[in-house]
Amino acid sequence: LSQLHRQVLALINKIAPDNLQTIVNKLAMIDLDNAEELQHVIAIVFKKALEEPHYVETYADMMTALRSRYPEFPAVEEQGRPSSFTRLLLNTVQEEYESLPKSLKPTEDQLERADREELQFELAKTKKKFLSNMKLIGELFLRQLLSTKIIHAVLRELLFCEGKQGAIPEE
């Protein structure tokens, strides 16, 4: 996996809208032997997209193009579903979304151990990650990689936290 990791990062570190197709072609040429490797590629691309919010649209286009270029792997369990690019992408989106904090308010532990400037930096970093995640989810929806049902669930969760103190949707 470390060789695969280096290969994928070397390619996506060069991403720009004008060289997207070249990078997609090179990524598609990487030999993947199992669903775990495909999941790893998706996780790397997803993480990179969150780190570079100004290229979120490009990363969403990349995922759309890669969807049809990578193979589907058979289910590990007898009753399980096959591991397709879309299924593994959905799993990644869900894991990332669920790992987001439910509030931007600092925890008591953070208040005790961090100085004010460090705390502000951490909160700004968390907010940036949250907003990048929402932007990427929206772009994936626009490209029909995420269903209306998923977007509805995300919106419902965001809208119903409005009465909670320190809830994320403050902008």
Side-chain angles (χ1 to χ4, degrees):
L1 281 180
S2 65
Q3 175 65 21
L4 175 64
H5 190 85
R6 281 192 300 276
Q7 274 183 295
V8 172
L9 267 183
L11 290 170
I12 64 174
N13 279 337
K14 302 171 189 165
I15 193 77
D18 58 328
N19 68 356
L20 175 65
Q21 198 54 50
T22 305
I23 292 176
V24 166
N25 290 336
K26 289 180 180 180
L27 281 171
M29 289 182 355
I30 295 175
D31 233 2
L32 300 179
D33 298 323
N34 55 48
E36 180 185 2
E37 291 179 350
L38 179 56
Q39 176 65 48
H40 193 65
V41 169
I42 292 168
I44 293 168
V45 173
F46 198 88
K47 182 178 181 218
K48 193 74 170 159
L50 295 180
E51 291 171 0
E52 300 179 358
H54 52 283
Y55 281 136
V56 163
E57 294 92 349
T58 305
Y59 283 105
D61 289 338
M62 176 191 292
M63 290 182 215
T64 302
L66 289 174
R67 172 175 56 177
S68 62
R69 305 285 297 271
Y70 280 129
E72 186 174 278
F73 293 99
V76 178
E77 298 139 12
E78 207 172 295
Q79 306 293 346
R81 294 179 173 165
S83 297
S84 66
F85 184 89
T86 305
R87 174 158 307 289
L88 295 174
L89 177 62
L90 288 174
N91 291 345
T92 303
V93 169
Q94 182 176 2
E95 288 167 13
E96 275 296 320
Y97 179 76
E98 289 174 353
S99 74
L100 290 172
K102 300 300 177 209
S103 170
L104 283 178
K105 280 191 170 237
T107 63
E108 287 190 28
D109 184 44
Q110 287 175 316
L111 287 171
E112 289 174 9
R113 65 180 167 83
D115 64 36
R116 183 170 170 78
E117 194 173 297
E118 185 180 319
L119 188 59
Q120 285 179 330
F121 175 76
E122 286 298 316
L123 292 177
K125 195 167 100 175
T126 301
K127 183 176 181 178
K128 180 182 173 189
K129 182 179 179 183
F130 183 87
L131 293 173
S132 294
N133 206 314
M134 292 302 105
K135 185 174 181 181
L136 182 56
I137 287 173
E139 292 296 332
L140 293 173
F141 171 70
L142 290 174
R143 287 156 183 81
Q144 299 177 345
L145 287 170
L146 297 180
S147 71
T148 306
K149 180 180 171 186
I150 292 169
I151 297 302
H152 184 261
V154 169
L155 289 174
R156 186 176 52 237
E157 187 172 321
L158 291 174
L159 289 173
F160 288 121
C161 70
E162 65 186 15
K164 299 176 187 170
Q165 282 292 68
I168 295 287
E170 51 191 50
E171 290 186 8

